Amino acid sequence: MESPAIRTEALTRTYRKSRKRRWWWSRSKPEGDETREFVALDQVSLEVRQGELFGLLGPNGAGKTTLIKILTTLLAPSAGTAWVDGLDVVADAEKIRPIINMVSGGESSGYGILNVRENLWLFARIYGVPTAVAQERIDKMLGVVGLTDKATSRISHLSTGQRQKMNFCRGFITDPKILFLDEPTLGLDVTSARAIRAFVKEWMAEKPDRTMLLTTHYMAEADELCDRLAIIDKGKVLACDTPANLKRQVQKYPIYELSLAPGASSWDGVSKLPGVHSATATTTPTTVELKVSLLDEPAIGAVVQSLVMAGGRILTMKKVEPTLEDVFIELVGHGLSDEATAPQPA
């Protein structure tokens, strides 16, 4: 059996914070220090398979970035163990770094006195990429993100979004075996984000042994890109599965929505049909909107037949699927829409 690309066992990271404590109830007692512990990761155990695009979905402060920093050898765990490509992130950090790369959304990287091409070439050479290969990859990546006309512009002259695009390019020009993307489309316009998502899918398909770990605030992005994903909150993994399986977990009954021509009362007896759990109708000036929850999905045939036999005219019918937002709210208790910097449609 193939060993996982990334594996963690009971991975924990705590931060100790000190603050001054004032003994306000007695003048005779001096000020002292009070040490508090903040648990950023709490016994996290995960496996990311080779060739998988794995997602981490969670609110701010959930522990996503802390986990990525540990896996990329930038931060040591307080307890537990993690392996990347079978190598221990603490003992084998120097062996891990040449085979990985990382892109963080909102990151301010690069040297302001160098232009875009020079910065990317410098990062490529640090990884040992030959100049000819580096230039070819740089040209390709600048085209992907729409920065070709900015290749000779200094970093200090770029907008925030353009710098983010350059950071995205930097992650791919070294052709890493395992790539970590931490909010890669944060703050980008819709067109740029769509182009980046398309490239990510193409890049993963080129070589089956490539592995990617992606964190994102955008539900549509996670749903579109990820083979599997973990929902994390307050340092704990709450669920881990494919997007489709996670969505199935929050929908007990198949649900259909039907629009009927106005004036018909043909839906009155639908709730009493075999295989129907419930049926509710909302009347508008132009239609009757019927929502039917089924105990068994094949029962939709009997529903349609009953409506037609009673003289109803069906204008539209669709099956209602739950979303990752529904899953997230079910597990965490609130959505992510108020935390994302900008909405990103699918």
Side-chain angles (χ1 to χ4, degrees):
M1 184 177 177
E2 221 174 37
S3 60
I6 299 169
R7 182 161 68 95
T8 71
E9 285 186 2
L11 197 65
T12 301
R13 174 67 194 192
T14 59
Y15 295 93
R16 300 178 71 88
K17 296 182 178 181
S18 296
R19 64 178 181 180
K20 290 291 184 181
R21 182 177 59 190
R22 184 179 296 276
W23 298 95
W24 55 270
W25 61 85
S26 173
R27 294 183 179 178
S28 62
K29 292 183 179 181
E31 292 184 357
D33 288 333
E34 183 183 66
T35 302
R36 296 179 300 163
E37 273 197 354
F38 169 70
V39 181
L41 287 179
D42 189 0
Q43 302 281 314
V44 171
S45 296
L46 281 175
E47 282 195 1
V48 179
R49 302 160 188 158
Q50 290 189 37
E52 187 171 40
L53 203 166
F54 189 91
L56 285 177
L57 202 59
N60 287 328
K64 306 185 301 294
T65 299
T66 297
L67 177 56
I68 281 188
K69 284 184 176 180
I70 292 175
L71 295 175
T72 54
T73 75
L74 298 176
L75 188 67
S78 302
T81 315
W83 297 267
V84 174
D85 200 33
L87 301 170
D88 186 287
V89 295
V90 176
D92 303 314
E94 291 187 7
K95 295 179 182 178
I96 291 173
R97 289 166 186 163
I99 63 171
I100 66 172
N101 209 333
M102 174 182 173
V103 176
S104 293
E107 179 184 15
S108 179
S109 64
Y111 298 93
I113 62 171
L114 300 180
N115 64 39
V116 171
R117 181 178 294 278
E118 290 167 342
N119 268 284
L120 294 175
W121 175 84
L122 177 61
F123 283 119
R125 292 298 296 142
I126 289 173
Y127 272 77
V129 180
T131 293
V133 176
Q135 296 293 7
E136 182 179 344
R137 291 177 183 171
I138 290 169
D139 287 338
K140 178 181 178 180
M141 290 307 305
L142 291 178
V144 167
V145 300
L147 274 186
T148 301
D149 61 338
K150 296 292 183 180
T152 57
S153 298
R154 286 189 177 186
I155 301 301
S156 56
H157 296 164
L158 298 182
S159 68
T160 301
Q162 289 168 341
R163 291 181 187 179
Q164 172 62 6
K165 290 178 181 180
M166 191 204 75
N167 287 336
F168 182 80
C169 294
R170 178 177 53 79
F172 290 85
I173 57 175
T174 62
D175 193 24
K177 184 175 182 181
I178 301 173
L179 180 60
F180 298 85
L181 298 183
D182 189 11
E183 306 280 358
T185 60
L186 185 66
L188 294 184
D189 61 86
V190 173
T191 301
S192 298
R194 186 180 294 121
I196 282 175
R197 290 197 298 269
F199 175 76
V200 164
K201 288 188 283 189
E202 292 174 7
W203 187 81
M204 288 293 293
E206 284 176 359
K207 294 183 181 179
D209 61 338
R210 283 172 172 164
T211 303
M212 184 179 295
L213 192 151
L214 165 77
T215 78
T216 179
H217 265 96
Y218 304 124
M219 299 292 178
E221 187 167 84
D223 205 355
E224 177 184 348
L225 293 178
C226 297
D227 300 310
R228 288 189 306 138
L229 59 87
I231 294 178
I232 184 171
D233 186 40
K234 298 177 182 176
K236 290 181 177 290
V237 174
L238 305 181
C240 180
D241 211 329
T242 64
N245 285 343
L246 287 171
K247 286 184 283 188
R248 288 191 193 103
Q249 292 176 22
V250 299
Q251 182 169 308
K252 190 174 181 181
Y253 305 109
I255 297 174
Y256 282 81
E257 288 183 349
L258 300 92
S259 292
L260 310 177
S265 59
S266 54
W267 53 268
D268 288 346
V270 168
S271 60
K272 299 176 183 177
L273 292 174
V276 175
H277 175 255
S278 64
T280 57
T282 303
T283 303
T284 72
T286 56
T287 60
V288 175
E289 301 297 329
L290 179 65
K291 180 176 282 190
V292 183
S293 176
L294 305 174
L295 296 172
D296 299 298
E297 190 157 357
I300 189 63
V303 171
V304 171
Q305 184 178 13
S306 173
L307 292 171
V308 173
M309 293 293 290
R313 186 160 63 92
I314 300 174
L315 304 176
T316 63
M317 181 178 73
K318 64 179 179 180
K319 185 178 180 181
V320 179
E321 298 287 351
T323 65
L324 282 180
E325 183 82 20
D326 297 325
V327 178
F328 193 88
I329 292 172
E330 178 79 13
L331 294 171
V332 179
H334 60 81
L336 277 175
S337 56
D338 58 331
E339 296 190 22
T341 301
Q344 295 236 358

